[in-house]
Amino acid sequence: MSKLDKAALGEPADSAPSDADDAFLSVRDLRIHFKTDDGLVKSVDGVSFDVQRGKTLGIVGESGSGKSVTSLGVMGLHRSATNARVSGEVWLDGQELIGADPDDVRRMRGRKMAMIFQDPLSAMHPYYTVGAQIVEAYRVHHNVNKKVARQRAIEMLDRVGIPEPDKRVDGYPHEFSGGMRQRAMIAMALVNNPELLIADEPTTALDVTVQAQILDLIRDLQKEFGSAVIMITHDLGVVAEMADDLLVMYGGRCIERGAAEEVFSAPRHPYTWGLLGSMPRLDREETERLNPIKGSPPSLINVPSGCAFNPRCPYADLPKDNVTRTVRPELTEVGSGHWAACHMTQEQRERIWTEEIAPKL
Ligand SMILES: Nc1ncnc2c1ncn2[C@@H]1O[C@H](COP(=O)(O)OP(=O)(O)OP(=O)(O)O)[C@@H](O)[C@H]1O
Ligand code: SF4
Ligand SMILES: [Mg+2]
C-alpha cells in the first residue's frame, strides 16, 4: 500500500518520501482555514495527494472548492494572509515545507517550484517592466549578467507567443492586454525550468491557438526536465488531454481521485458524474450540451453535516448499508488506486453509473 493510500485510510504520514519510486511532491492532510468576522472558513480541509516527477495531476472542482488555496499552500504563499491557519504536511523532494523556515521556502520558489497564477496582476509588479521582472526571476537562480538574462527573457516571451518580444520586453504590465499579461506571467513562471509547476487556470483568458501553444510548452518542460505538474482547470478537456492523475475537490475536500483514465471512464462519485455531465459536447446540439449541477456549492463556514454534497445529490435518499446521513463519508478504495468519498455501496455505484449515467453522457 502506498503512503498516499495509507493517508486516505487515516493512517499517519510518518516520514518523508524515501523510496526511489516515491513522489516528488507529497501533500498530507493539508488544512487551510481562514479566521473571518463571519466565522472560520475551511477552504482546504484535509487534502492529500502525490505528484511524481514527469507526471501531471489535474485538480478540478467548482468555483470556491479550494483549488487555488491548496496550491498557494503548497507554494507557502498562504503565509501572506495573516488570518490563515495551516496544518498538515507538504513534502517537496524530501523536504517538509509547512514547518520550514519561510526563507528556505522562498529560496525554493522559482527553480524548485513555480506557479502560474489565476490572476496575472497578482504575480507581476506594476512599477517594473515585464522584462525586468523576468530578468530578476532568472538571475536569482542563475549566475549570469543582465544581458544574458535579458536575452533569456526575450526568448521566453517569444515562446509564449508574444509578438515582437524584443520590444515588449521593455513594456510595463499595464501596457499588456489581459491575455498578453497572462502569457508574460507564464514566461516568468517557466523561465527557471521549475521542477514542480503549478498551473492555476493557465489558459482561461487565452484563445485556443495560444492555449495549445502554452500546453505544448508545459509538455516540453516535462519532457526535458522531468518536471511534476499540477494543472488546475475548469476545462475537463484540458485535463483529459494533460493529466495522468485526477483529483476532484468539493467544499475544500477531495471527494474522488485516481488515474485520470480510470476516473474519466468509471467515475464513482455523484459529484464527478455531475461534472462530466456538464462538460460541453461538440457532437450534441447546443440545447443538449450543458447540464449544470443543480444547487450551489456548500458554505465553507457551515459545511453541511454528513456528506457535503448531500443537499444537491440525486442519490442522497438512496438507502445505504448501515450508514446515516449525518456521517461524513471518508475516501474509500473503489478500484485500484481509485478512491471516492461516498456512502453508496460498490454495487450501487457501479449499477447507477452503468445503467443511468454513462448512457446519457
Ligand atoms: N484570505 C482569505 N480569507 C478568507 N477566505 C478566503 C481567503 N482566501 C480564500 N478564501 C476562500 O476560500 C474558498 C476557496 O477559494 P479558492 O480560491 O481556493 O477557490 P477555487 O476552487 O480556486 O475557485 P475558482 O475556481 O473560482 O478559482 C473561497 O470560498 C474563498 O472565498
Ligand atoms: S454520500 Fe450520499 S449524498 Fe454524498 S455523494 Fe454519496 S450518495 Fe450522494
Ligand atoms: Mg482558483
Side-chain angles (χ1 to χ4, degrees):
M1 188 186 289
S2 76
K3 283 196 173 78
L4 181 55
D5 291 349
K6 276 190 192 172
L9 291 175
E11 292 182 27
D14 33 25
S15 59
S18 52
D19 312 338
D21 62 345
D22 256 331
F24 181 61
L25 172 73
S26 288
V27 173
R28 291 292 170 275
D29 202 24
L30 182 66
R31 284 168 211 267
I32 304 179
H33 298 172
F34 296 101
K35 258 178 127 170
T36 70
D37 291 343
D38 299 324
L40 195 64
V41 182
K42 296 181 176 177
S43 299
V44 179
D45 202 27
V47 169
S48 300
F49 58 85
D50 281 347
V51 193
Q52 318 288 334
R53 282 184 189 273
K55 299 286 181 192
T56 298
L57 170 74
I59 302 185
V60 297
E62 279 167 307
S63 193
S65 56
K67 306 181 297 295
S68 293
V69 174
T70 299
S71 42
L72 293 173
V74 171
M75 295 286 295
L77 293 168
H78 58 276
R79 297 176 199 248
S80 60
T82 49
N83 60 340
R85 302 281 172 275
V86 183
S87 67
E89 297 170 9
V90 171
W91 293 93
L92 183 70
D93 202 12
Q95 190 176 343
E96 204 288 307
L97 304 186
I98 296 288
D101 183 333
D103 285 338
D104 289 344
V105 179
R106 195 173 309 127
R107 272 192 287 274
M108 294 172 88
R109 274 185 230 128
R111 188 152 200 178
K112 201 88 193 168
M113 56 180 177
M115 181 158 171
I116 296 172
F117 291 87
Q118 196 168 2
D119 169 18
L121 278 180
S122 69
M124 303 218 97
H125 200 293
Y127 299 148
Y128 297 95
T129 64
V130 164
Q133 295 183 59
I134 301 177
V135 163
E136 170 67 19
Y138 190 62
R139 291 186 76 206
V140 167
H141 297 284
H142 295 85
N143 189 15
V144 295
N145 64 31
K146 280 192 178 161
K147 201 172 158 217
V148 171
R150 182 183 160 87
Q151 215 37 55
R152 170 76 178 162
I154 294 170
E155 176 203 320
M156 287 309 298
L157 292 175
D158 186 38
R159 288 188 75 183
V160 295
I162 290 185
E164 298 189 280
D166 48 342
K167 293 201 178 73
R168 302 309 296 261
V169 72
D170 295 317
Y172 288 88
H174 70 265
E175 294 170 338
F176 283 55
S177 69
M180 287 292 170
R181 212 152 41 210
Q182 176 82 352
R183 295 187 221 180
M185 200 250 305
I186 292 171
M188 192 156 91
L190 297 181
V191 72
N192 289 306
N193 300 318
E195 291 177 68
L196 168 70
L197 175 71
I198 304 183
D200 192 354
E201 302 282 1
T203 56
T204 317
L206 307 174
D207 65 52
V208 263
T209 323
V210 182
Q211 178 172 330
Q213 208 174 341
I214 300 297
L215 296 180
D216 277 347
L217 207 56
I218 294 176
R219 277 199 207 96
D220 288 350
L221 175 82
Q222 263 183 323
K223 222 185 282 166
E224 205 171 328
F225 300 95
S227 306
V229 174
I230 297 178
M231 176 76 65
I232 299 172
T233 175
H234 282 101
D235 189 337
L236 290 178
V238 168
V239 174
E241 199 185 316
M242 299 283 290
D244 299 289
D245 296 299
L246 192 56
L247 187 153
V248 184
M249 283 191 78
Y250 188 77
R253 307 189 111 222
C254 166
I255 55 94
E256 182 159 8
R257 65 171 164 76
E261 230 177 81
E262 164 114 5
V263 178
F264 273 114
S265 63
R268 290 292 179 252
H269 193 287
Y271 176 65
T272 314
W273 296 342
L275 278 186
L276 291 176
S278 62
M279 198 170 161
R281 288 276 304 257
L282 296 175
D283 56 341
R284 302 271 170 93
E285 292 295 318
E286 189 72 24
T287 48
E288 284 182 289
R289 279 175 54 193
L290 274 179
N291 190 11
I293 305 168
K294 292 193 179 71
S296 12
S299 153
L300 296 172
I301 297 178
N302 298 306
V303 183
S305 67
C307 174
F309 191 52
N310 193 340
R312 306 169 74 186
C313 180
Y315 309 99
D317 293 328
L318 206 71
K320 324 268 180 352
D321 279 358
N322 300 321
V323 282
T324 64
R325 287 175 70 142
T326 53
V327 175
R328 177 145 64 188
E330 296 298 333
L331 284 169
T332 50
E333 197 162 16
V334 294
S336 176
H338 182 183
W339 298 72
C342 168
H343 287 315
M344 275 197 244
T345 63
Q346 190 74 338
E347 187 277 328
Q348 284 171 323
R349 281 190 270 269
E350 282 173 13
R351 182 181 54 73
I352 295 172
W353 166 251
T354 316
E355 293 175 10
E356 296 179 26
I357 311 291
K360 288 193 203 142
L361 292 179

